[in-house]
Amino acid sequence: MPAGADPAPNPNAPWAHDPQVLAGWQALDCALPAVRPVFEACAHEAIARLSPSSLQAFWQGGRQLGKLGRGADPVLAWLTYWPEVVEALGESDAEQAFEVVMALLLRMNKSPNSAAMTHLLTSLGPVAQRLGGLSVLQAYLHTVGHFMDRTTGSIHGRQATLPSAGLPELLLQAPRLLQTLSLSGWQAWVDFGARAYAHHPPQQEDYFALRSPDSLAVLQRERHGTLLRDAERTLSLSLQAMWQLQAHVLPLPTAQVSAEHGVQAVSVSPCLLLESSDKGPSYAMGLPDVLDGQAGVSALDRYRLMVMHMAGHIRWSTPCIADNWSPMQRLAVEWFEDTRIDLLLMRTWPGLRHSLLALYPPVQEGGCNEATHACLLHRLSVWSRSVLDERFEVQDPQLREWRDRFMALVDGQAQERGQGTETGQVSTAQVAQLALQFVARTRRPSDAQAQVHFEHTQVDWRDDNRHLWQFIEDGDEEDTAPSPTRLADEELHSLPPQLYPEWDYLAGSERPDWVRVFEYLHPPGHADDIDQLLLRHAALSKRLQRLLDQLKPQGRTRERHLENGSELDLDVALAAHIDLKTGHTPSHRVEQHIKPVERDVSVQLVMDLSASLNEKAPGSDQTVLQISQESVALLAWALHQLGDALAIGGFHSNTRHDVRYMHIKGFEEPWADPVKARLAALEPAYSTRMGVAIRHAARTLIKRQSTKKILLVLTDGEPSDVDVTDPNYLMHDARQVVHSLQSQGVFVWCIQLHPAHEASVRHVFGDHYTLVDRMAQLPETLASLFFKLTR
């Protein structure tokens, strides 16, 4: 058939003699073979749903798409989804939307993004239904077009040749995201991804597919709810404090991409993964990546209840051999064991009772129709609620009997010391035997029904119980979950990572949860090395001592007019005596309190421990690290002499995902051998992500009650990291942090150890820096600095 010729209908086709369908086929004028088999169904639906004028535009749009040479997919998407757009907008608005949509499709066709035309049309129906108006739909299409222009790449910088990596995923995610975000929130989410990953196609694709933590963090910022990453540190510390347990927290996505239905939200259950190693078993707790508050219980408390339940399984449950048990038996065992764990949690930590009972599904007796559904799950849910909630009464005599038998087992075993998996605790095997008896003696004919009653049987804090089962023979039921991410040994012994934002100076806003900081105690070396260092500089120490003596407070303060003081205030007492003699009412506040003036200063020292410290300082035979150690040792000794509180930490970074903050000295630690040993063992490595290190160090300093709060940064260079290509990015971030801290009453000062980067240091700290490149200058420099900062 020549190009552009009208396609001849198949005389054997069932619609060949239907005038309306035949007229539509001729108006469509499409010779693509893949369109013919589905045309009749699309045509009948469009004729039933569209007016004649809208139907004419419908055929016209399909004809234009078919002539573009992009295959059948855009035509099929148009025929399938455009009637849905017309119904969502109305006939008049749909005519204007038609022009805007076709203009965007033609722009895509002329760009490297022609493959995304189908995605746009596929998602347009749900988006139009959600937005519900022409103006907001036009704003949505404008955002899509603008994003396409920003992220389409070019090899030589003249003509667009590389398709946008994130555009298909953006269009697939749009229907689901607009269910939870406003249009402005969605636009902010899109704008952040376009700015942050414009030149990183793989990361851009992960961001818009919701596979990136940064994507979820920005999504969380623009919507309600709590992200798991925000609660991860609190949950990990709770496990360590309450259970002496370390477990890696894994986010489970609550959004999945389906090839048939696009993006859909799914409900996920927590899961507990166990992995054996030479050092013993390790655990990973899978939790939903985002949660909202529910039934008056905050999202953090929901996360905490999930973690506590899994920790209870780790402490109190033992695996069972599952090969010879039926699915019904295994189901009952899981419910009985979960109920036992929840009961123990409420008895061990009564504060959990409110959250647990508030979140338990509102199941009631008689809620399942045994004539049509299998009701075993319903019975187990009712039974479990009757055990946990003593105010919930059941009428079924069998459920009451099994509740009493369960409580007798648990309470009776608790009174017999020395039995069970833990002193006073019933074992999982005993609970399993009771559950098997429950299944055998309460079995009903309706349990064989194909339809299962699931309403009010989903207890969302309970995990999927895969850890309860062992399989002797391999089969489909064994645990096939991926192993948890293995962390470096150093990371395993550190505190859980803390997430911090970073300032994007080009966008004028922060990138939320952009950097991970791992804090750990620096390993010790030899304290004698620091003592020898101080001995070598004994003369400098004496000179410094004389200068520091001038900083020690010499005076006293007097607080007068007190009811209860340390001594009598003679002047006030005499005035009171005169008032009494003259008939006036004397003052009863005639005492005073005199106390010596004390310094109230807290100093946080942050050391740059990047690899450049291994280089020799200009004009010296010492490395920058050696000068740093000597400077810090003399500074710590000086502040110890003054009695000021001092904390010391060091940092280096290896991309934004791995910033390491080493604890050297805390505010309450004395200047003693343990601190000296850590200072002596410093080893430079990696890069200098300064801004986030200052953020992390200042978090503790801000909470101090001191009158003066000083943060000193000891560095030899400018901020940099291997994953940052813009040389100004990290400098602007550090500058933003310094200005923010100064507005909160923290005095930030930089001690620079290398003159080559003075310009960048001045950009970050302004005039608040001091250059120290020779040890001979150190006493006078430190004394002058102390006079400035503490006067």
Side-chain angles (χ1 to χ4, degrees), residues 319-325 330 468-479:
C320 302
I321 304 299
D323 294 81
N324 295 324
W325 288 356
R330 289 173 54 190
L468 276 182
W469 307 111
Q470 288 182 348
F471 296 86
I472 299 176
E473 298 181 0
D474 293 340
D476 294 337
E477 296 172 309
E478 60 187 325
D479 185 5

Side-chain angles (χ1 to χ4, degrees), residues 20 45-59 82-83 86-87 90-92 94-95:
Q20 286 185 300
E45 183 177 1
I47 292 170
R49 299 170 70 176
L50 302 180
S51 67
S53 59
S54 297
L55 194 61
Q56 188 64 31
F58 176 67
W59 302 129
W82 183 251
V86 176
E87 287 188 342
E91 296 284 345
S92 58
E95 293 180 3

Side-chain angles (χ1 to χ4, degrees), residues 490-491 493-495 518-527 529-530 605 607-610 613 625 629 632 648-652 660-666 669 672-686 696:
E490 181 181 276
E491 201 169 302
H493 292 89
S494 72
L495 292 174
F518 293 91
E519 181 177 356
Y520 62 94
L521 190 66
H522 197 285
H526 300 288
D529 295 345
I530 300 298
L605 177 63
M607 298 182 65
D608 171 9
L609 297 180
S610 59
L613 266 70
L625 174 63
Q629 289 173 310
V632 171
I648 306 174
F651 74 95
H652 54 233
R660 304 178 188 182
Y661 187 91
M662 287 75 78
H663 175 91
I664 300 172
K665 181 185 181 301
E669 286 185 275
D673 286 348
V675 175
K676 296 176 184 177
R678 295 179 206 134
L679 182 61
L682 296 181
E683 294 182 358
Y686 303 119
H696 185 76

Side-chain angles (χ1 to χ4, degrees), residues 610-646:
S610 59
S612 59
L613 266 70
N614 285 320
E615 301 174 1
K616 286 192 175 183
S620 172
D621 58 351
Q622 291 181 303
T623 65
V624 180
L625 174 63
Q626 292 172 329
I627 295 179
S628 298
Q629 289 173 310
E630 293 174 345
S631 301
V632 171
L634 283 172
L635 176 62
W637 173 82
L639 292 179
H640 177 70
Q641 297 297 314
L642 288 171
D644 293 342
L646 170 68

Side-chain angles (χ1 to χ4, degrees), residues 121-136:
L121 293 171
T122 302
S123 62
L124 199 57
V127 168
Q129 287 183 344
R130 174 60 180 170
L131 298 179
L134 176 62
S135 60
V136 286

Side-chain angles (χ1 to χ4, degrees), residues 327-489:
M328 189 177 298
Q329 290 174 319
R330 289 173 54 190
L331 179 66
V333 171
E334 290 179 358
W335 272 87
F336 271 60
E337 182 66 359
D338 280 337
T339 303
R340 179 177 76 95
I341 297 300
D342 290 339
L343 186 62
L344 290 175
L345 288 177
M346 289 195 300
R347 291 180 174 180
T348 307
W349 288 284
L352 294 176
R353 176 181 295 274
H354 170 74
S355 299
L356 190 145
L357 296 181
L359 291 174
Y360 197 93
V363 64
Q364 297 290 339
E365 284 188 275
C368 177
N369 185 358
E370 295 189 2
T372 58
H373 288 79
C375 297
L376 177 61
L377 263 177
H378 174 76
R379 291 201 306 275
L380 287 169
S381 183
V382 172
W383 172 85
S384 180
R385 182 179 178 185
S386 70
V387 172
L388 300 176
D389 188 356
E390 56 189 17
R391 298 169 300 176
F392 181 74
E393 295 291 339
V394 292
Q395 305 301 321
D396 190 321
Q398 281 189 322
L399 294 181
R400 288 204 307 269
E401 175 190 354
W402 286 99
R403 177 193 180 279
D404 295 341
R405 293 184 61 176
F406 178 84
M407 296 302 295
L409 174 66
V410 174
D411 294 336
Q413 189 69 28
Q415 296 174 2
E416 300 178 11
R417 300 299 180 184
Q419 298 185 20
T421 58
E422 189 171 301
T423 301
Q425 302 297 349
V426 65
S427 68
T428 303
Q430 292 171 301
V431 173
Q433 290 302 316
L434 192 66
L436 296 178
Q437 296 175 25
F438 174 88
V439 172
R441 298 185 184 182
T442 64
R443 187 178 179 89
R444 300 176 184 178
S446 63
D447 293 344
Q449 294 278 358
Q451 296 292 330
V452 179
H453 182 88
F454 288 103
E455 186 178 3
H456 300 321
T457 62
Q458 179 71 28
V459 185
D460 64 353
W461 71 79
R462 294 177 179 174
D463 58 279
D464 58 9
N465 286 317
R466 67 182 70 188
H467 54 84
L468 276 182
W469 307 111
Q470 288 182 348
F471 296 86
I472 299 176
E473 298 181 0
D474 293 340
D476 294 337
E477 296 172 309
E478 60 187 325
D479 185 5
T480 57
S483 299
T485 304
R486 292 184 176 272
L487 302 178
D489 291 341

Side-chain angles (χ1 to χ4, degrees), residues 540 544 630-631 634 772 774-783:
L540 297 180
L544 184 59
E630 293 174 345
S631 301
L634 283 172
V772 178
R774 295 197 309 273
M775 284 301 299
Q777 297 177 331
L778 190 59
E780 290 81 2
T781 303
L782 287 178

Side-chain angles (χ1 to χ4, degrees), residues 89 93 131-141 183:
L89 298 179
D93 287 345
L131 298 179
L134 176 62
S135 60
V136 286
L137 181 63
Q138 290 176 328
Y140 164 80
L141 295 173
L183 179 63

